[in-house]
Amino acid sequence: MASVGVLQIANYVVPLLVIPFVTRALGKEAFGAVSYAQNIVVYLTVLVTFGYEYSATQDIVLNRTSPDRMRIIFWTVVRSRLKLFAVSLLLLVGISFFVDRIQESPLLYMAAALINLGVAVYPTWFFQGIEEMGKMAVAGFFIKAVGGVLIILLVTTPADGLLYLLLLSLSYVVVGFGTLWYVVKHYDMTFPEHSDRVLSRNVVRRGWPIFLNTFFNALYTSVGITILGWFVDDAGLGIYTGAFRIIMAIMVVANTPINLGVFPVISRKWDSSYAEGWLFFRKTLLLAAAGGILLTIFTYLFAPLLVKILLGGDFTESVSVLKRMALLPPLVITTSLLTIQGLYGLRKQNYAPYISASVAVIGLPVTIWFITLWGIMGAVYAWIISLVCEMIISSTILLTLHRRSLTANSNQ
């Protein structure tokens, strides 16, 4: 968990530390335009990752004693992601014919989309599966820190938005290919001499429901920015995305190490003993939820200071947005644990897309409705309602599965 924490600091805190320089250099309008490009690319990133962060991690965990099977799993995931990256670029080109913002600044969106090449080859899931995250975390932190320094030195005017996105994407590409080379050499993950079509198909098949779940999650997590782009100008987008960047960094750095670090452990516990897995899951859920409440208090109290330091005086309107977003950490942490450690850990990921699809069906119209009523704040309120719905549905399904398991064990 500590190693994943360092990795997420590299992924989110380093860029966040760069934000004070970027927002002051670009201003609200240019920052809003850049953030909207990144928001569109988020949906493409979901396609490229394809749920392998968890399904492939579990595959590696359960096949660690078979190097040949690990090689097949490894290259199945890498090849699949590279193909999906190519598809994502074609989708972006196709979408550009219907979205004026992309037509006006095509290079801006292509620079933002380049980050997915690094995502495609970045074998985080492999290190999670073998539970050796330390070296990769240090290397990732160092390279992204260098990228952050270059951004600070080179991005100085509102006209440098394209350069900012290009430098950010290239840092991911360098880390991705560097760690891919390291895995192949250090762990002997050379291309397998013999293929196993059944295993390869199962690797892809197991990632499919997690991909669907992640995609539907993105519809009510990131869609607020997407829909806001229809109703507000770039300055309004800058106000919302400034607060969004802060709360996402807080939640991801707190939540992702728990999910990625605990997942291999709880997968083994669920696999060896249901009772042991349930006990471990319940303790983790309670501790993480308590930590989320502390983050809510911290974010609400220090919102003015966080905005002043990280965004600057031009973003004072982001304070009220961030204060309302302070309700999000315990909701996000709880819902992600219910899905990842609960459903994914139990290998019941087939339920996850139905949950997230149901929430998306509720969240999308609510988001549009609330934005028309309350503007930027409406996007925040809709996000909170969507997460509450997800928490209720997920916990109900998990408790139902738990009761069935207890009944089955008592009958035996």
Side-chain angles (χ1 to χ4, degrees):
M1 286 173 60
S3 297
V4 180
V6 172
L7 180 64
Q8 295 311 311
I9 288 172
N11 286 341
Y12 292 92
V13 175
V14 170
L16 186 65
L17 293 176
V18 171
I19 287 297
F21 301 93
V22 174
T23 53
R24 288 164 174 81
L26 298 182
K28 281 190 296 189
E29 288 79 7
F31 182 71
V34 163
S35 297
Y36 197 77
Q38 291 175 299
N39 171 256
I40 296 300
V41 169
V42 163
Y43 303 106
L44 303 178
T45 303
V46 172
L47 172 64
V48 173
T49 56
F50 199 71
Y52 288 133
E53 293 301 313
Y54 295 103
S55 65
T57 295
Q58 200 168 54
D59 287 332
I60 293 293
V61 168
L62 301 177
N63 291 278
R64 282 169 63 169
T65 58
S66 175
D68 289 337
R69 291 177 66 85
M70 286 179 65
R71 291 188 189 97
I72 293 171
I73 294 167
F74 181 83
W75 285 106
T76 297
V77 173
V78 172
R79 285 184 300 180
S80 175
R81 280 188 164 185
L82 286 172
K83 291 176 183 177
L84 290 170
F85 170 68
V87 172
S88 73
L89 292 182
L90 293 175
L91 284 174
L92 182 60
V93 173
I95 294 169
S96 67
F97 291 105
F98 305 97
V99 180
D100 292 338
R101 284 179 180 271
I102 301 178
Q103 292 178 17
E104 293 167 3
S105 307
L107 291 179
L108 195 70
Y109 286 80
M110 290 303 294
L114 181 62
I115 197 171
N116 286 331
L117 177 59
V119 171
V121 297
Y122 199 20
T124 312
W125 49 272
F126 177 82
F127 286 98
Q128 290 164 209
I130 63 173
E131 298 180 64
E132 292 184 17
M133 298 289 291
K135 293 179 181 178
M136 186 189 67
V138 173
F141 182 88
F142 175 75
I143 294 174
K144 289 175 184 177
V146 172
V149 172
L150 289 175
I151 289 172
I152 292 171
L153 294 176
L154 299 177
V155 177
T156 57
T157 70
D160 292 332
L162 175 61
L163 178 61
Y164 164 63
L165 288 179
L166 193 58
L167 289 172
L168 196 61
S169 294
L170 286 176
S171 68
Y172 274 80
V173 172
V174 171
V175 171
F177 278 99
T179 50
L180 179 69
W181 174 84
Y182 177 80
V183 169
V184 172
K185 294 295 183 181
H186 187 73
Y187 295 96
D188 193 26
M189 286 293 114
T190 52
F191 200 80
E193 296 180 1
H194 305 287
S195 62
D196 186 334
R197 292 185 179 180
V198 174
L199 178 59
S200 296
R201 281 198 300 267
N202 285 337
V203 170
V204 176
R205 180 179 56 82
R206 280 166 43 76
W208 173 248
I210 298 176
F211 157 69
L212 288 177
N213 179 58
T214 308
F215 174 75
F216 288 126
N217 274 328
L219 286 182
Y220 57 85
T221 300
S222 301
V223 77
I225 298 175
T226 308
I227 296 175
L228 273 175
W230 306 346
F231 294 94
V232 303
D233 57 13
D234 286 342
L237 282 172
I239 293 298
Y240 180 85
T241 54
F244 180 86
R245 293 285 186 89
I246 294 173
I247 198 66
M248 284 301 294
I250 291 172
M251 291 190 299
V252 169
V253 171
N255 187 40
T256 306
I258 298 171
N259 275 325
L260 298 185
V262 169
F263 186 67
V265 180
I266 203 169
S267 293
R268 291 199 309 271
K269 288 183 180 295
W270 283 122
D271 194 54
S272 62
S273 168
Y274 178 86
E276 184 181 355
W278 179 262
L279 180 61
F280 186 78
F281 165 72
R282 190 174 64 180
K283 288 181 178 179
T284 304
L285 183 64
L286 290 173
L287 289 172
I293 293 171
L294 292 177
L295 286 177
T296 291
I297 297 171
F298 168 82
T299 304
Y300 186 86
L301 292 177
F302 292 95
L305 183 62
L306 290 170
V307 170
K308 182 178 180 180
I309 293 174
L310 295 174
L311 302 179
D314 201 27
F315 289 78
T316 52
E317 295 170 80
S318 295
V319 174
S320 57
V321 180
L322 184 58
K323 282 189 172 183
R324 285 163 176 80
M325 286 182 174
L327 292 172
L328 293 169
L331 295 174
V332 168
I333 290 173
T334 301
T335 53
S336 63
L337 280 170
L338 289 170
T339 301
I340 294 167
Q341 311 303 337
L343 293 177
Y344 294 1
L346 281 168
R347 301 189 214 178
K348 300 290 185 181
Q349 56 260 45
N350 55 305
Y351 286 95
Y354 297 103
I355 297 171
S356 53
S358 300
V359 177
V361 168
I362 298 169
L364 278 173
V366 168
T367 301
I368 296 172
W369 179 31
F370 280 19
I371 288 176
T372 57
L373 290 176
W374 296 297
I376 291 173
M377 294 303 182
V380 183
Y381 301 148
W383 191 2
I384 292 171
I385 288 175
S386 296
L387 286 169
V388 171
C389 291
E390 183 184 3
M391 184 169 61
I392 292 171
I393 297 171
S394 299
S395 58
T396 300
I397 290 175
L398 267 175
L399 288 173
T400 301
L401 292 172
H402 179 57
R403 292 192 189 100
R404 287 179 184 174
S405 178
L406 292 178
T407 302
N409 289 336
S410 63
N411 290 336
Q412 291 177 359

